[in-house]
């Protein structure tokens, strides 16, 4: 299948230029949000897979990729405004929002700010629902280390030790660790401090949008997720770490296909997946 031509466009969010790809067409639109220090290219396989049947948008959040990098404004709610600005610029009235890692928290914030915009949420190894000891322990220590002169060692150590499975390719790890070299301390410290300030349980329970959680490496509390959203769909990838969309794209794509099929069949007038 040939991927339809992609239009590179930009939106303005808080006066900052946010670059995004707009490809494909169809009644169902999907917006992809990358994780910390990544970019829209992380979703190349998903775009190629979906764009023949759906309209697909993938953006570079502020401070990432080709988008503007302001001096500040790197909280979850700031990134959510980037996503909303892209959706408005693209003329989307309703879309499925897929967020990887911190992108999952951003997707929840988009749903909180503009619930009518969101048709459903996909959390791709989302950085949400961390157990309380982790939030107050090693994650807090990591965020604090990013405020010091040794921030880069802390960043590279955290990602290198925790984001990859034994089955990930060396090429993937080289790529991700190379992307970290473009990080700036101010952005990294603000972003991680804000991310770890909440477990996002309230946002998850408050949203009644269809929800899919694709689990790989992040140690979230899946039991609590099922308590908060019993009707949520949960899938787990096999043989991949945090960057499953890059390492095992076929597995991720299959789960996206099924979720979009189920959620779209429910229709815009019935946003819950509950029977």
């Amino acid at each position: 299948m040939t991927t339809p031509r992609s239009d590179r466009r930009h939106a303005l969010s808080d006066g900052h230029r946010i670059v995004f790809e707009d490809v494909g067409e169809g009644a169902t639109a999907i917006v992809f949000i990358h994780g910390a220090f990544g970019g829209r290219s992380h979703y190349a396989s998903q775009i190629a897979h979906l764009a023949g049947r759906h309209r697909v948008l993938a953006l570079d959040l502020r401070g990432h990729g080709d988008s503007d990098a302001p001096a500040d404004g790197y909280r979850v709610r700031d990134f959510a405004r980037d996503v909303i600005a892209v959706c408005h610029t693209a003329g989307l009235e309703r879309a499925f929002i897929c967020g990887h890692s911190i992108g999952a928290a951003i997707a929840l914030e988009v749903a909180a700010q503009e619930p009518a915009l969101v048709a459903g949420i996909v959390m791709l190894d989302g950085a949400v629902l961390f157990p309380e000891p982790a939030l107050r322990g090693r994650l807090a220590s990591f965020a604090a280390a990013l405020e010091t002169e040794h921030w880069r060692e802390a960043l590279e150590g955290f990602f290198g030790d925790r984001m990859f499975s034994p089955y990930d390719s060396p090429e993937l790890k080289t790529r991700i660790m190379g992307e970290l070299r473009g990080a700036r301390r101010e952005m990294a410290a603000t972003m991680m401090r804000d991310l770890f300030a909440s477990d996002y349980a309230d946002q998850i329970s408050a949203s009644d949008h269809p929800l899919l959680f694709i689990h790989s490496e992040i140690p979230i509390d899946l039991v609590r997720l099922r308590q908060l959203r019993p009707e949520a769909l949960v899938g787990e990838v096999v043989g991949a770490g945090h960057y499953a969309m890059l390492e095992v794209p076929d597995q991720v794509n299959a789960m996206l296909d099924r979720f979009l099929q189920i959620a779209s069949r429910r229709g815009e007038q019935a946003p819950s997946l509950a029977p």
Side-chain angles (χ1 to χ4, degrees), residues 143 146-147 186 188-198:
L146 295 176
E147 309 273 4
E186 295 78 9
T190 300
M191 182 164 43
M192 293 303 170
R193 183 174 61 249
D194 187 62
L195 175 64
F196 300 145
S198 172

Side-chain angles (χ1 to χ4, degrees), residues 163-228:
M163 298 300 169
F164 305 98
S165 81
Y167 311 104
D168 285 329
S169 67
E171 293 79 11
L172 173 66
K173 186 169 185 178
T174 297
R175 173 181 176 175
I176 299 304
M177 299 306 290
E179 290 174 346
L180 289 182
R181 288 195 286 271
R184 294 182 292 114
R185 181 168 69 174
E186 295 78 9
M187 180 178 76
T190 300
M191 182 164 43
M192 293 303 170
R193 183 174 61 249
D194 187 62
L195 175 64
F196 300 145
S198 172
D199 66 0
Y200 301 93
D202 290 344
Q203 293 90 329
I204 290 171
S205 60
S207 170
D208 63 355
H209 300 92
L211 176 64
L212 166 65
F213 192 99
I214 300 176
H215 181 53
S216 53
E217 194 72 11
I218 292 288
I220 81 150
D221 190 341
L222 290 176
V223 172
R224 193 174 182 203
L225 174 62
R226 294 187 184 279
Q227 291 171 343
L228 293 169

